[in-house]
Amino acid sequence: MTGNAHRNELGEFLKARRAELSPRAVGLPESGGTRRVVGLRREEVAQLVAISTDYYTRLEQGRMPASGPVLSALAQVLHLNDDQRDYLFELAGKNNTRPRRRLAQKVQPTLQRLLDDLTTTPALVLGRRTDILAWNSLAAALITDYANIPERNRNNTRILFTDPAMRTLYADWEGVARTAVAQLRMQAAKYPDDPRLTALVGELSVQDPQFRQWWGAHQVSAHTVGTKAFRHPVAGELSLDWETLSSSIDPEQQLVVLTAEPGTPSHDALRILASWATSHQRPAPHTTT
């Protein structure tokens, strides 16, 4: 599509969108009498966007290009959704700099079924910003009962720094925590405008001087495998290999599994912990909503 064709299509798109809105929908008073146009008038859109009617008319007629700020204002005034906004900027040949709204994550059903079937392997699903989306009973027995943590606080990095039990559960808590901060730093680069991630970093920076120091070091990590040593109050000392697998449906969901080599004391300890978890199991939700 040529530049002129793009401008013509942009104009038709704007016409169609303003025809869908009433003055009341955009906060304008309803005028008396019969309106000669369906939806908003050109001058009403121009007034709301703070541009001249002539300028807006030229946009609809495909006779001049639109700037990024004007496009952003039009998207807001015309109540465009994310897809419509992207289309508007594409027609105008501009970069859409506003981040798309992200829906709250919910664990993929296939991952949930896999979690439920892993009765002798601790496993959990991490989402954006290391949020904990789901877990199985053995992960709860090994690390913490996530069902007792309010959903808004079910975040792996947050738990590491705010739950005192984590500092004794992990034999090398500092190494585990440093890795978590480095992984969170990777998330911050990927989602720089995520308000929840920004709030999490701010909260932990105020509460914990070690987090503040390590965050300021700007170390990053994309490790997906490793080994963690535990000092568990029931199972004793365990050395578990962990591996991260990404969902093919939603790559922002990662399944983390912890295993021990068969025949090792850690493998036996996991079996003991699984038996203990079964006898102490209580009804509890295993996913976030």
Side-chain angles (χ1 to χ4, degrees):
M1 189 180 292
T2 65
N4 288 336
H6 268 109
R7 290 184 191 177
N8 290 335
E9 176 60 25
L10 185 146
E12 293 301 318
F13 182 69
L14 291 175
K15 291 178 188 177
R17 298 290 75 77
R18 70 179 172 88
E20 296 172 342
L21 297 172
S22 66
R24 179 179 298 177
V26 295
L28 293 177
E30 294 278 5
S31 59
T34 303
R35 294 175 64 87
R36 291 183 297 172
V37 297
V38 177
L40 298 177
R41 301 187 182 100
R42 284 176 175 170
E43 56 266 29
E44 290 171 334
V45 175
Q47 174 189 343
L48 292 168
V49 178
I51 58 177
S52 69
T53 302
D54 180 65
Y55 182 10
Y56 180 74
T57 300
R58 288 172 179 268
L59 288 179
E60 278 203 0
Q61 292 174 345
R63 293 193 288 141
M64 70 180 303
S67 67
V70 168
L71 291 172
S72 294
L74 283 169
Q76 183 176 358
V77 165
L78 297 175
H79 296 185
L80 303 188
N81 61 32
D82 285 332
D83 291 336
Q84 291 171 332
R85 181 189 172 93
D86 288 345
Y87 185 63
L88 176 70
F89 274 76
E90 182 179 343
L91 289 175
K94 303 290 185 181
N95 292 325
N96 185 3
T97 57
R98 192 188 73 166
R100 293 174 66 90
R101 292 185 295 271
R102 297 183 181 90
L103 299 176
Q105 282 184 296
K106 186 175 182 180
V107 65
Q108 292 293 328
T110 51
L111 291 182
Q112 183 62 65
R113 289 196 296 269
L114 181 57
L115 283 177
D116 295 338
D117 287 341
L118 293 175
T119 58
T120 59
T121 300
L124 60 156
V125 176
L126 297 182
R128 294 188 294 267
R129 73 189 77 87
T130 72
D131 285 346
I132 296 166
L133 304 182
W135 61 94
N136 64 8
S137 60
L138 195 49
L142 175 66
I143 303 173
T144 189
D145 190 349
Y146 297 109
N148 287 333
I149 302 173
E151 182 179 332
R152 66 182 180 278
N153 294 334
R154 285 187 203 139
N155 176 277
N156 185 58
T157 308
R158 189 182 191 282
I159 292 169
L160 277 171
F161 281 91
T162 60
D163 186 348
M166 297 297 104
R167 298 176 187 255
T168 56
L169 174 66
Y170 292 101
D172 180 22
W173 175 86
E174 181 172 327
V176 171
R178 279 179 176 269
T179 298
V181 173
Q183 290 174 331
L184 194 65
R185 175 61 81 172
M186 291 283 287
Q187 291 277 302
K190 190 175 182 181
Y191 308 111
D193 299 308
D194 185 337
R196 288 187 57 189
L197 194 152
T198 301
L200 174 66
V201 171
E203 174 192 355
L204 295 179
S205 295
V206 169
Q207 293 183 1
D208 195 285
Q210 288 176 296
F211 178 90
R212 185 166 60 249
Q213 176 187 350
W214 298 336
W215 183 260
H218 291 266
Q219 297 295 327
V220 295
S221 173
H223 289 167
T224 56
V225 295
T227 301
K228 292 180 180 179
F230 295 84
R231 293 187 294 233
H232 196 273
V234 173
E237 295 187 359
L238 303 92
S239 179
L240 302 179
D241 299 320
W242 62 275
E243 184 168 358
T244 301
L245 307 172
S246 295
S247 168
S248 60
I249 300 175
D250 181 1
E252 292 183 328
Q253 295 191 26
Q254 298 183 321
L255 174 69
V256 181
V257 294
L258 298 107
T259 61
E261 185 178 350
T264 63
S266 294
H267 188 265
D268 295 337
L270 268 187
R271 296 303 185 271
I272 293 172
L273 185 60
S275 177
W276 178 87
T278 300
S279 63
H280 288 76
Q281 196 171 28
R282 63 177 178 81
H286 282 195
T287 66
T288 61
T289 57

